[in-house]
């Protein structure tokens, strides 16, 4: 594996996490986004990650500062990728935006550069031709809170070179991930193929007024031994993301239950600023949500 210089395209929640984790493991990282305003927000996000790494991983102050200092920020795409061995794309889940980005990236990046998409809903084959180098393109999908939930799903498309697939798998391990190879394209990969039906089922139970948030989570936690229930997971994922998925299903299928659920998420949570852990309140209030109470599963 010859990757040493990594560019992360897209500086949102997960893009920032990927960038910091990669730098924390000793790689030189450039974060690219479309303007300086977006990059300033990324700097704030990454600064906050220092405390989480100290708290969750026991990292020293020097280690978290050294990691931050290995990150450069750039709003000029050509400059951001001029020396990149690997570009990990984490931009919005919109086909048109990603296609246009890959058209530009393919022209700007050196011929040797490998491209990976972190898309959780779209398949690499949808963008392979737009990259101009389909054999050097694949998916590399991370879970939120990457430093704790250290999965890396590596998914090839039919045209991905096997050596590139192996190199990206080695890179994932080098940044502290457990590499999970997928040899065929699968919408939702492994994680979301398992997780999304669970989250949908929990949200529909709430929407149908079968049970409340805490009861649904408590049931799942007691019966399976899971550390979090589906609504605690949704708070981490973000309720806006959940709404977008549910609303898309409602529009695609016309299903009245999904329409009702989308309306519930919009009016009772999103419109009230309850977006999950990022805003301090979602289905639970943070810090110290009730599901972390030692007596939560006893009553």
């Amino acid at each position: 594996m010859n990757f040493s210089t990594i560019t992360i395209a897209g500086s949102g929640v997960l893009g920032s996490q990927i960038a910091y984790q990669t730098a924390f493991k000793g790689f030189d990282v450039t974060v690219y986004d479309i303007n300086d305003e977006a990059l300033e927000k990324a700097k704030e996000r990454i600064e906050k990650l220092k405390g989480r790494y100290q708290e969750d991983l026991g990292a020293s102050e020097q280690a978290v500062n050294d990691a931050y200092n290995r990150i450069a920020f750039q709003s000029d795409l050509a400059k951001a990728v001029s020396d990149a061995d690997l570009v990990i794309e984490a931009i919005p889940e919109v086909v048109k935006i990603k296609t246009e980005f890959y058209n530009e990236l393919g022209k700007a990046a050196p011929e040797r550069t490998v491209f990976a998409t972190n898309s959780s809903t779209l398949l690499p084959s949808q963008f392979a031709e737009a990259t101009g180098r389909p054999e050097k393109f694949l998916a590399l999908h991370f879970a939120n809170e990457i430093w704790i939930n250290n999965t890396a799903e590596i998914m090839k498309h039919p045209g991905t070179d096997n050596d590139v697939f192996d190199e990206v798998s080695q890179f994932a391990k080098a940044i502290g991930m457990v590499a999970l190879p997928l040899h065929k394209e699968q919408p939702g990969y492994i994680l979301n193929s398992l997780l999304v039906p669970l989250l949908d089922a929990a949200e529909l139970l709430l929407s149908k007024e079968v049970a409340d948030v805490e009861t649904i989570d408590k049931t799942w936690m007691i019966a399976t031994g899971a550390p979090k229930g589906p609504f605690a997971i949704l708070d981490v994922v973000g309720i806006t993301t959940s709404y977008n998925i549910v609303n898309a299903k409602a529009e695609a299928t016309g299903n009245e239950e999904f329409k009702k659920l989308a309306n519930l998420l919009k009016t009772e949570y999103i419109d009230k600023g309850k977006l999950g852990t990022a805003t301090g309140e979602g289905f639970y209030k943070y810090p110290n949500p009730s599901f972390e109470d030692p007596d939560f599963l006893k009553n």
Side-chain angles (χ1 to χ4, degrees):
M1 195 270 292
N2 295 315
F3 301 154
S4 60
T5 305
I6 315 299
T7 297
I8 311 301
S11 66
V13 172
L14 204 48
S16 295
Q17 291 181 18
I18 297 166
Y20 191 67
Q21 176 70 18
T22 303
F24 186 74
K25 290 296 182 176
F27 290 83
D28 292 325
V29 176
T30 298
V31 173
Y32 164 77
D33 216 318
I34 55 174
N35 56 47
D36 291 337
E37 182 182 356
L39 291 175
E40 286 303 315
K41 291 179 180 177
K43 290 175 184 177
E44 292 176 12
R45 282 192 202 97
I46 294 173
E47 280 281 358
K48 290 178 182 177
L49 290 176
K50 291 181 182 181
R52 293 296 306 274
Y53 274 62
Q54 289 177 290
E55 179 183 344
D56 296 335
L57 303 181
S60 69
E61 185 173 356
Q62 181 173 344
V64 297
N65 287 332
D66 286 349
Y68 186 89
N69 291 335
R70 279 191 283 270
I71 303 174
F73 298 86
Q74 182 57 255
S75 58
D76 183 304
L77 181 61
K79 291 179 180 177
V81 302
S82 63
D83 194 35
D85 298 313
L86 172 67
V87 175
I88 302 172
E89 168 266 308
I91 66 176
E93 296 284 86
V94 179
V95 172
K96 184 174 184 289
I97 293 174
K98 286 189 188 290
T99 301
E100 290 175 354
F101 172 75
Y102 279 117
N103 280 326
E104 293 179 25
L105 179 64
K107 297 170 186 173
E111 188 177 338
R112 73 175 193 280
T113 309
V114 171
F115 300 162
T117 179
N118 181 59
S119 174
S120 58
T121 59
L122 303 170
L123 298 175
S125 59
Q126 293 177 256
F127 308 103
E129 292 306 317
T131 69
R133 59 190 75 188
E135 74 287 351
K136 290 188 175 73
F137 178 60
L138 76 177
L140 176 60
H141 180 247
F142 299 92
N144 202 355
E145 298 198 337
I146 178 176
W147 64 96
I148 302 171
N149 304 319
N150 60 327
T151 59
E153 297 175 285
I154 303 107
M155 184 167 71
K156 62 171 67 175
H157 67 88
T160 304
D161 185 280
N162 284 330
D163 289 340
V164 170
F165 185 75
D166 291 341
E167 272 196 301
V168 173
S169 297
Q170 291 171 40
F171 167 75
K173 293 175 184 177
I175 62 168
M177 301 294 106
V178 176
L180 304 166
L182 282 76
H183 300 286
K184 291 184 178 180
E185 287 190 306
Q186 166 63 36
Y189 305 73
I190 298 169
L191 176 60
N192 285 332
S193 293
L194 296 169
L195 181 61
V196 170
L198 167 68
L199 302 182
D200 282 351
E203 290 177 298
L204 287 169
L205 287 169
L206 178 67
S207 179
K208 292 176 183 178
E209 301 179 358
V210 172
D212 61 28
V213 165
E214 290 191 342
T215 302
I216 295 167
D217 273 8
K218 192 179 298 185
T219 303
W220 184 254
M221 292 166 72
I222 295 171
T224 67
K228 290 182 179 179
F231 289 102
I233 294 170
L234 281 161
D235 275 350
V236 175
V237 171
I239 294 173
T240 300
T241 297
S242 177
Y243 168 77
N244 289 338
I245 293 170
V246 169
N247 192 51
K249 288 179 180 178
E251 292 180 350
T253 65
N255 184 296
E256 291 300 323
E257 290 296 343
F258 279 119
K259 288 181 182 178
K260 182 180 176 183
L261 174 55
N263 183 63
L264 172 70
L265 294 175
K266 179 76 165 57
T267 58
E268 294 301 315
Y269 295 92
I270 293 174
D271 289 350
K272 295 179 180 179
K274 300 177 182 180
L275 307 183
T277 56
T279 59
E281 185 173 2
F283 294 107
Y284 295 92
K285 292 183 178 181
Y286 300 85
N288 306 316
S290 60
F291 66 82
E292 290 183 353
D293 189 308
D295 293 327
F296 182 70
L297 302 183
K298 297 177 183 178
N299 301 317

